[in-house]
Amino acid sequence: MEPASGLPNTSDNSSWATSAPHSPAATALILLAVLAVLLATLVGNALVVAAVSTSRALRAPQNLFLVSLASADILVAVLILPFSLANEVMGYWYFGSLWCSLYLALDVLLCTASIGHLCAISLDRYWAVTRAARLNLRRSPGRVRGMIGAVWAAAALVALPPLFKARPRARECALSNDTWYVLASCVASFFAPCLVMVTVYCRIYQVTKRRHMAVLTAHGSLAPQLLRPGEPDNRATELGGLMAGPGERLSWALASSRRRWSQHQSMSLCRRRLVRVRERRFTVVLAVVMGAFVLCWFPFFFTYSLEAVCGDGCRVSKPLFSFFFWIGYCNSSLNPLIYTVFNRDFRAAFRRLLSAPARHGT
């Protein structure tokens, strides 16, 4: 989202074009970094759309969330990042007042929609864990599209004010800095979805861990009543009695009991290790999801809303605020990695898509 702070006003428009805001070296680094983010966003999200469209294993209705999320991130890369980059490097707005209003509205719309999709995905996963049977019956493509439509509608409501409250000037393009709008847009675009995601993912982890422990307990209670070493097995003794004498029957029963007890212990240990590995992997996935989301967006929204409340007393330096501003856009390039790298079907579809040009070339 475009920050509300702009460049200082001046009556001499020529000074905007002649004074570069960054040194040549800094400008080159900014260009390389932003172009890398833009390319990663385009390629990664295009692969997500292509994978879901061409892979039969990925035709599940819930993957429509990822297609819509990827589409929003692609639009961020096409419609927002180039103009934000030009504004950052040139130090002034070059593209006119009409596109300024549209650009600001699209910026708010697409970034809010991207965050809203992350929130919708977290809710869908929560329902999949807690209401699996009912959700599988109700999770039709139409219902998923309805949730996606609600996300876009909510984002549009947040994005409408910039069409009327933007302050396009000759060489400046900035959102209105009205306190009510800054706080309302920050809550709707970030803080409310963030609270929902943190609550939902913590609940998912708790439910999953409790179910794993219940599985372990159930396996332990349903396991055969095995004999400890030294305890005779009457059934084994009876069977052995058909073939051996009394001493041999007892020896055979004790050996059989030891083997069964050892096997039970090994299976129980392997099962506990498997549960620990699954819990550790699930914890890592949740940490990556929430960590990337919060690290990318929290600095910008926190400083943006703090400045609206405190004014100049809480204003951070312009280079630091610009850094926070650009880090938020990086989330659009990370989304394909976060939501697909941990999925075996997506990895297979990506390998197939990336290897197809090589096969055609040979």
Side-chain angles (χ1 to χ4, degrees), residues 52-132:
V52 176
S53 302
T54 59
S55 176
R56 185 175 301 176
L58 297 173
R59 297 290 175 82
Q62 61 267 26
N63 285 333
L64 293 175
F65 287 115
L66 296 180
V67 173
S68 184
L69 171 63
S71 301
D73 290 334
I74 288 173
L75 291 176
V76 168
V78 173
L79 298 178
I80 305 301
L81 287 183
F83 300 97
S84 296
L85 176 60
N87 193 36
E88 180 70 29
V89 171
M90 298 171 67
Y92 64 95
W93 182 256
Y94 176 79
F95 306 100
S97 59
L98 177 60
W99 178 244
C100 172
S101 298
L102 293 175
Y103 158 81
L104 292 175
L106 287 172
D107 187 18
V108 175
L109 170 69
L110 296 174
C111 291
T112 304
S114 182
I115 298 173
H117 280 89
L118 302 182
C119 184
I121 290 172
S122 69
L123 289 172
D124 180 75
R125 292 185 175 182
Y126 173 72
W127 292 328
V129 170
T130 59
R131 308 174 187 176

Side-chain angles (χ1 to χ4, degrees), residues 41 43 46 49 66 95 131 193 275 336 346:
T41 302
V43 173
V49 175
L66 296 180
F95 306 100
R131 308 174 187 176
V275 169
F346 268 105

